Amino acid sequence: MKEIDLLKKKIAREKSARKAAERILEERALQLYESNEKLRKLNIELEIKVEKRAKQLIKSEEKYRGIIENMELGLLEVDNDQMIIKAYKWFCDMTGYREDELIGKNAQTVFLSKTRHHTIISQEQTKRIKGQAGVYEIQIKHKQGHLIWVMISGCPVYDADGNVCGSMGIHYDITRQKKLQKALLEAKKVAENAQKAEQLFLAKMSHEIRTPLNAIIGMTHLLNATKPSEEQKDYLKILRDSSGILKLLISDILDFSKIQAGELEVQKSEFNLSILISRLLKAVQSQIDGKDIKVKSNIDPNLKNLIIGDELLLNQILINLLSNAVKFTKKGSIILNVVISSQSESEISVEFQICDTGRGIEKGKTDLIFQKFKQVSSTDKDKYNGTGLGLAITKQLVELQNGTIELTSKKNKGSTFSVFLNYEKGGLQTDEDDLIPNKYLEQKFNKQKILVVEDNYMNRKYILTLLSKWNLDYEVAVDGMEAIAITKTKKFDLIFMDISMPILNGYEATKKIRKISNPNQETTIIALSASAFVTKKEKAISIGMTDFLCKPFDPQSLFRLLVQYLNPQIENISSENKPQSNIFPLPINAQQIELLYGDNWSMAFEMFNIFLKNSLPSFEKFKRLADSENFVAVKNLAHKLAPNLAMVGLMKTQDRLLNLESMAHQPTDKEGIRKLIDEIINDLQLAKPIVEKCLIALQEQSKLTQTT
Amino acid sequence: MKGIVFTEFLEMVENQHGYELVDTIIEESDLPSKGIYTAVGTYPHQEMVQLLMSLSSKTSTPVPNLLRSFGHYLFNTFLKSYPGFFESAPTGFHFLESIENHIHVEVKKLYPDAQLPNFETQRLDHNTLEMIYKSDRHMSDFALGLIEKTMEHYQETANIEVQGDPSNRSSVTFIIKKV
Ligand code: HEM
């Protein structure tokens, strides 16, 4: 019974427990249902949101794609192995492929042909994997096979975990730019070549024209000296004028090209502006040719100093402007005003005004005239010869010296050109005239041996005629080879060497003469060249030539060079006591005199006079002083008199005197001192008559100079 | 405390002593639930304590011993019902280490109102695991039973040293040393 009761109890408990469990479970089920409902609603809301978001994304992607595709930018997306994942429309258009032809293909194999570009791509690829962007240019293959240049801006693409999973390249077609770039480069090269050709042409032309021109001018000079008839004189004048014009034309063109090539340099030296102006006026006067034109100059009285600047450039500027004035003025006046606009202790600003009463220029055309090859009226060419370069050159020459040029003009009233230039101030002006007096040209040399190496017959003739006129011996070689052969056998005092010659040119010949053993290894060699280019001169000097003479040259230039380089020879020969046409025979050192006085004969005269009157008698004292052993006085006197000997070019005696001075300072060798004094006195006895002769010659010279 | 603990406990008593003792301890304890338990319900922890006390006097067995053998008993139930937890742990130590951060975490998901102990484990050396039990329900002996059965299940023999203040059973340290 008890067991039945227990069982009953157990069943009752389990029943209750089951009911409780069912209640709990039902409650749970309800909770579950409610939760489920909530979840469902949530889900629907989420779906709506996702759909909305997706629509927005599509819209913005479309928007950006539209922008990118309108921007002509080709987008290509690849994975880390260069496999194409997506190719955008513009990229497809650019390369000629459809997108489905590209997807899954290796971009490198499809598009690259040059190995160089493969390396660029792999370099970029390593950058991409490190997460770096990059911009580079390569050539890619179009489907049709031709190459197109693209600029690529590449950037890494990341997956959801933030790892680099590929890259996106924005391609921009730069084929046209590349072509243009190449064309420009080529054009530049062509232009450079053309410029070189032009320079070469000018150099050639300069030689080809100047050489015969030199001969014409030279021959005209010589013909003039053959006492021509009046009729012949007329012809000669035309010949001279025409060749003069021709020479001007050529030098205009050459100058211009030189300035353009930047080869012209400003070379400063001290010069006398007043002398330059007076010489210019004379030159202009000779151009007037019977026209009723007065030419005069007004120089600012405040101009008291020499000025330091480029004399040649100034000369050319003023010649150009004055010639221009002459050309365009039929009658009236041409005035050159030199105005000092300001000056300080060291600097001076000068304004040059060239005023004419010519036909003038219309307002508005004044700027035109400084331009290359422009003449104001198209009919001018017929009336007025000229290259049309003159004023353009002038302007450039002025600007080269940091100056300015202006033109004020009234039609039919005349024009005024104003040139403003700044100079450094030099020493005070003296009245000397640095022109070589004509008489000087009649001086004779003493049969020194000259070798003329020149292939052109007429040029040769010109030089040889002058040489023989000046009492010089000469030999001729017609090319470099011949020159080398002759120099091996004979010693010359000076060689004129043309640069451009057949067989062997002047440079090569000079190099050989300087190198191989021959009597002329040290001989002065003067280059003759029709080229005015600075570089030619530099080259000539650098390969061993002594100096440079530009063709065509006038007798004066030739003579100057001969005097400069043959002077020591004159000295030597005159020591043989031959009658001398040179006014400074030995023992007088002519170079020293030239150095001291130049062509200022009157000053030399005065100094020679003083020497004879005052200094010379003082030398008598040496003997007495030495006898009384007053060596201090000997020393002082020697010191005082030594410079006086230099003033008359008695250099050897001066050396002895200086020697005496130092010996008397410590008079150990008294015998030697006495002997030296004897030698000095002896020197002076011999020199005295020569110095006296020179004094007379100098007097005549200075009178001559003053009257001309 | 979850119903399953009560139903399993009473089943163990019925299996070992017959339903009469089950009835006795229910009747002797003044239980709000009247001894009607279902696995899906939740009941006051106090009722378990009462049932244990009652069983202890009726069987003259100390409560710790009862809890320990309940641990043994319940381990088998766990083994049958949740084989997955055992498969994922290769050794006894691995299994014990996974209670705090894996097994009881899953329990809490299933029964949000479950009251679970807190375990801190640390390997002292290759063969020694320290396991610190912390709970207001003072059921470390139950834990000891479960640990013993665990090692047995993994066929690993171990000495289990129990450290702690006997007056404060809320924190007990087990040093499990494999031999
Ligand atoms: C498959 C393995 C296991 C499952 C499914 C499981 C599940 C449970 C459940 C449902 C409770 C009751 C919670 C409540 O009534 O509120 C519990 C409590 C407990 N479990 Fe586990 N358990 C497992 C393994 C273990 C092991 C191996 C230990 C021993 C170290 C352990 C120690 C305990 C203790 C001591 C309690 C009592 C509550 C307390 O002391 O605060 N459990 N466990």
Side-chain angles (χ1 to χ4, degrees):
Chain A
M1 267 322 276
K2 198 182 170 195
E3 274 168 25
I4 295 170
D5 280 349
L6 261 179
L7 214 62
K8 275 187 186 164
K9 247 186 179 174
K10 189 184 174 189
I11 291 167
R13 282 196 185 109
E14 279 180 357
K15 224 175 158 183
S16 308
R18 203 186 70 217
K19 277 189 185 150
E22 279 166 359
R23 236 190 1 262
I24 292 168
L25 285 176
E26 205 174 318
E27 228 171 83
R28 272 296 154 77
L30 208 76
Q31 276 174 10
L32 261 173
Y33 173 78
E34 280 169 5
S35 303
N36 201 36
E37 277 300 291
K38 267 190 201 158
L39 260 174
R40 217 169 51 86
K41 270 189 205 152
L42 255 167
N43 203 31
I44 292 170
E45 274 171 35
L46 252 171
E47 263 174 23
I48 294 169
K49 268 191 191 164
V50 165
E51 208 175 316
K52 226 166 132 189
R53 194 58 72 76
K55 268 186 193 158
Q56 279 176 349
L57 270 172
I58 291 170
K59 225 170 131 188
S60 77
E61 204 209 287
E62 272 173 357
K63 182 174 137 195
Y64 286 116
R65 191 170 345 132
I67 290 173
I68 285 166
E69 286 183 354
N70 279 330
M71 278 168 82
E72 308 191 352
L73 297 172
L75 269 69
L76 184 72
E77 201 182 326
V78 295
D79 67 10
N80 284 337
D81 299 319
Q82 295 287 323
M83 288 301 167
I84 296 168
I85 292 166
K86 188 163 172 58
Y88 288 73
K89 185 179 168 293
W90 192 272
F91 184 86
C92 294
D93 290 354
M94 201 158 94
T95 54
Y97 289 96
R98 287 194 319 271
E99 188 179 10
D100 62 282
E101 291 177 302
L102 291 174
I103 292 201
K105 299 254 171 66
N106 183 300
Q108 230 161 311
T109 3
V110 177
F111 292 114
L112 294 193
S113 59
K114 292 192 178 164
T115 37
R116 183 163 58 88
H117 293 144
H118 279 287
T119 24
I120 296 179
I121 289 283
S122 39
Q123 278 169 7
E124 289 292 328
Q125 180 69 9
T126 37
K127 272 165 83 180
R128 233 42 99 239
I129 286 173
K130 283 189 222 154
Q132 298 168 347
V135 178
Y136 53 101
E137 290 176 10
I138 56 168
Q139 254 180 322
I140 61 174
K141 242 188 320 193
H142 188 273
K143 191 182 178 184
Q144 241 105 67
H146 61 266
L147 294 172
I148 47 180
W149 270 104
V150 285
M151 181 192 269
I152 302 176
S153 169
C155 58
V157 174
Y158 297 93
D159 63 14
D161 297 334
N163 299 317
V164 177
C165 62
S167 64
M168 169 77 91
I170 302 173
H171 298 66
Y172 181 58
D173 189 336
I174 53 165
T175 310
R176 257 189 39 189
Q177 284 90 323
K178 281 278 173 186
K179 270 188 189 152
L180 205 72
Q181 202 178 333
K182 205 176 148 208
L184 274 174
L185 266 171
E186 272 163 17
K188 196 177 159 224
K189 221 167 159 188
V190 168
E192 278 169 0
N193 285 341
Q195 206 186 341
K196 256 186 220 149
E198 192 185 304
Q199 275 204 5
L200 208 76
F201 168 75
L202 284 170
K204 263 253 151 58
M205 191 180 79
S206 128
H207 177 76
E208 299 298 335
I209 299 178
R210 275 186 183 226
T211 303
L213 191 60
N214 175 31
I216 295 168
I217 292 170
M219 287 302 147
T220 316
H221 268 282
L222 294 177
L223 271 177
N224 249 328
T226 56
K227 294 192 184 129
S229 71
E230 279 310 303
E231 196 187 2
Q232 282 170 329
K233 260 189 194 159
D234 269 0
Y235 296 159
L236 279 172
K237 190 177 164 301
I238 294 165
L239 197 58
R240 194 192 66 208
D241 291 351
S242 310
S243 51
I245 288 168
L246 204 55
K247 191 177 151 191
L248 215 74
L249 274 173
I250 290 163
S251 50
D252 264 10
I253 293 167
L254 276 173
D255 282 350
F256 197 79
S257 66
K258 263 194 281 177
I259 298 168
Q260 296 263 296
E263 281 190 43
L264 208 68
E265 275 170 45
V266 179
Q267 283 176 343
K268 286 181 185 175
S269 64
E270 197 177 51
F271 67 95
N272 187 326
L273 185 57
S274 308
I275 291 174
L276 177 86
I277 301 289
S278 70
R279 226 190 296 161
L280 269 172
L281 281 195
K282 272 182 211 157
V284 175
Q285 226 112 33
S286 72
Q287 286 180 19
I288 284 170
D289 260 350
K291 282 199 252 184
D292 181 17
I293 302 173
K294 270 200 195 103
V295 184
K296 53 177 183 178
S297 70
N298 300 310
I299 298 178
D300 196 319
N302 288 326
L303 180 71
K304 295 201 168 90
N305 288 74
L306 299 172
I307 59 181
I308 297 168
D310 196 316
E311 183 178 9
L312 277 176
L313 288 184
L314 177 62
N315 189 60
Q316 196 165 352
I317 291 165
L318 296 176
I319 278 270
N320 285 357
L321 292 175
L322 287 166
S323 308
N324 194 65
V326 171
K327 210 190 307 182
F328 294 105
T329 306
K330 284 195 190 110
K331 62 182 238 179
S333 62
I334 293 170
I335 301 165
L336 169 57
N337 292 323
V338 180
V339 183
I340 309 295
S341 33
S342 73
Q343 61 178 320
S344 69
E345 217 160 285
S346 59
E347 271 161 32
I348 184 162
S349 303
V350 190
E351 179 185 351
F352 301 91
Q353 300 167 338
I354 294 92
C355 318
D356 65 45
T357 55
R359 52 183 203 132
I361 291 166
E362 276 167 57
K363 227 184 174 179
K365 284 191 175 172
T366 47
D367 283 343
L368 213 66
I369 66 154
F370 290 117
Q371 286 172 25
K372 201 164 75 144
F373 303 121
K374 284 267 164 67
Q375 285 190 330
V376 171
S377 129
S378 54
T379 53
D380 282 349
K381 277 238 158 68
D382 314 326
K383 274 194 234 159
Y384 310 100
N385 341 307
T387 48
L389 279 172
L391 287 172
I393 291 172
T394 308
K395 185 166 188 269
Q396 295 214 14
L397 291 177
V398 171
E399 282 165 2
L400 197 67
Q401 301 172 85
N402 298 322
T404 51
I405 182 164
E406 277 171 15
L407 166 64
T408 44
S409 184
K410 269 199 185 138
K411 185 99 180 143
N412 297 326
K413 284 270 162 64
S415 310
T416 300
F417 283 93
S418 307
V419 175
F420 303 88
L421 287 168
N422 293 323
Y423 288 104
E424 284 165 49
K425 232 172 177 176
L428 279 176
Q429 283 186 9
T430 50
D431 293 334
E432 63 172 312
D433 188 328
D434 65 351
L435 287 170
I436 293 184
N438 278 337
K439 261 220 142 160
Y440 207 55
L441 275 177
E442 281 157 26
Q443 298 294 329
K444 291 236 164 34
F445 290 87
N446 216 312
K447 291 275 174 208
Q448 284 99 327
K449 306 258 179 315
I450 312 290
L451 174 63
V452 178
V453 189
E454 164 70 81
D455 62 320
N456 181 292
Y457 170 75
M458 290 189 285
N459 282 338
R460 224 157 49 216
K461 180 91 182 141
Y462 174 54
I463 299 176
L464 298 183
T465 314
L466 286 170
L467 292 184
S468 56
K469 191 172 149 199
W470 293 327
N471 195 34
L472 287 161
D473 262 0
Y474 55 78
E475 295 266 342
V476 170
V478 297
D479 60 56
M481 274 316 219
E482 258 191 54
I484 291 168
I486 296 178
T487 48
K488 274 186 194 153
T489 57
K490 254 187 214 146
K491 160 107 179 89
F492 292 97
D493 297 305
L494 192 142
I495 299 170
F496 285 109
M497 178 78 76
D498 186 26
I499 300 251
S500 309
M501 284 183 299
I503 304 173
L504 191 69
N505 70 31
Y507 292 137
E508 295 307 316
T510 304
K511 277 193 210 159
K512 281 258 164 60
I513 293 170
R514 292 291 186 231
K515 213 167 127 198
I516 52 178
S517 161
N518 73 80
N520 296 291
Q521 257 181 309
E522 305 289 325
T523 304
T524 301
I525 299 181
I526 293 172
L528 299 178
S529 173
S531 169
F533 286 104
V534 182
T535 45
K536 277 235 171 150
K537 180 171 177 177
E538 279 166 6
K539 187 175 176 195
I541 306 286
S542 76
I543 60 121
M545 292 176 144
T546 320
D547 210 333
F548 187 94
L549 186 58
C550 185
K551 295 191 283 189
F553 48 83
D554 54 21
Q556 243 174 52
S557 321
L558 186 66
F559 189 81
R560 258 184 217 270
L561 273 173
L562 286 168
V563 169
Q564 185 181 343
Y565 291 107
L566 292 179
N567 228 14
Q569 296 301 119
I570 293 174
E571 206 178 82
N572 282 342
I573 292 158
S574 60
S575 68
E576 290 162 26
N577 253 348
K578 280 181 185 167
Q580 255 291 342
S581 55
N582 192 320
I583 58 169
F584 302 117
L586 269 191
I588 294 172
N589 184 323
Q591 248 180 333
Q592 169 73 8
I593 301 299
E594 162 99 12
L595 196 78
L596 284 173
Y597 309 110
D599 299 321
N600 193 339
W601 310 114
S602 56
M603 187 175 171
F605 168 76
E606 230 155 78
M607 294 312 291
F608 273 64
N609 202 17
I610 290 169
F611 176 80
L612 285 170
K613 282 209 181 110
N614 301 352
S615 309
L616 207 54
S618 304
F619 284 88
E620 308 282 86
K621 293 181 197 159
F622 277 121
K623 266 211 162 118
R624 240 187 317 120
L625 291 170
D627 286 342
S628 60
E629 302 215 332
N630 186 351
F631 293 112
V632 178
V634 170
K635 191 197 103 191
N636 288 341
L637 188 64
H639 182 83
K640 195 179 130 200
L641 291 174
N644 295 359
L645 289 171
M647 295 310 280
V648 292
L650 295 172
M651 306 314 287
K652 264 187 199 142
T653 317
Q654 192 204 21
D655 282 348
R656 287 196 169 120
L657 211 62
L658 291 171
N659 205 3
L660 177 67
E661 187 189 345
S662 65
M663 277 176 90
H665 184 60
Q666 271 175 334
T668 41
D669 181 10
K670 289 172 192 167
E671 236 350 89
I673 292 176
R674 291 208 180 84
K675 225 180 129 195
L676 196 55
I677 290 175
D678 283 342
E679 281 171 284
I680 291 166
I681 301 297
N682 193 38
D683 273 354
L684 289 172
Q685 271 169 1
L686 285 171
K688 195 182 169 204
I690 298 167
V691 176
E692 278 167 346
K693 247 193 204 157
C694 285
L695 185 73
I696 295 161
L698 281 170
Q699 194 171 21
E700 271 170 25
Q701 284 288 1
S702 57
K703 266 188 212 151
L704 258 170
T705 324
Q706 271 154 16
T707 50
T708 46
Chain B
M1 182 159 274
K2 293 313 296 180
I4 188 171
V5 183
F6 291 90
T7 54
E8 287 299 313
F9 178 72
L10 291 177
E11 202 177 297
M12 179 188 77
V13 177
E14 190 182 348
N15 284 350
Q16 284 173 0
H17 306 282
Y19 194 74
E20 204 181 340
L21 189 60
V22 175
D23 184 54
T24 310
I25 56 171
I26 291 172
E27 294 291 336
E28 279 186 9
S29 318
D30 182 20
L31 302 168
S33 68
K34 306 249 168 20
I36 298 165
Y37 299 110
T38 146
V40 292
T42 303
Y43 309 92
H45 170 248
Q46 201 48 48
E47 290 195 11
M48 175 53 77
V49 176
Q50 274 178 284
L51 288 169
L52 278 167
M53 302 288 273
S54 181
L55 182 63
S56 174
S57 70
K58 287 282 168 274
T59 57
S60 309
T61 314
V63 171
N65 290 18
L66 291 175
L67 275 173
R68 191 167 158 194
S69 49
F70 183 43
H72 294 157
Y73 181 83
L74 203 60
F75 183 84
N76 289 326
T77 315
F78 284 161
L79 199 57
K80 266 181 252 155
S81 315
Y82 308 105
F85 291 132
F86 298 91
E87 280 157 21
S88 62
T91 68
F93 283 180
H94 282 105
F95 180 79
L96 294 173
E97 282 163 346
S98 71
I99 297 167
E100 175 73 13
N101 290 322
H102 180 46
I103 300 171
H104 280 177
V105 172
E106 294 299 315
V107 171
K108 193 85 188 173
K109 279 186 203 163
L110 196 64
Y111 309 114
D113 51 356
Q115 290 178 305
L116 293 159
N118 175 266
F119 285 110
E120 280 169 34
T121 54
Q122 194 185 356
R123 297 229 186 165
L124 299 180
D125 62 52
H126 194 64
N127 288 313
T128 314
L129 181 73
E130 180 193 66
M131 205 172 174
I132 301 169
Y133 164 87
K134 276 178 189 158
S135 172
D136 293 338
R137 282 162 299 282
H138 303 185
M139 286 171 75
S140 62
D141 292 305
F142 172 62
L144 178 62
L146 282 165
I147 294 168
E148 279 168 344
K149 272 285 173 183
T150 301
M151 296 311 280
E152 199 184 302
H153 169 74
Y154 279 97
Q155 293 173 353
E156 292 165 330
T157 21
N159 290 326
I160 301 163
E161 192 190 321
V162 183
Q163 298 174 344
D165 180 358
S167 64
N168 178 14
R169 307 300 288 171
S170 65
S171 176
V172 173
T173 302
F174 300 99
I175 307 288
I176 308 153
K177 209 177 223 134
K178 279 201 277 182
V179 285

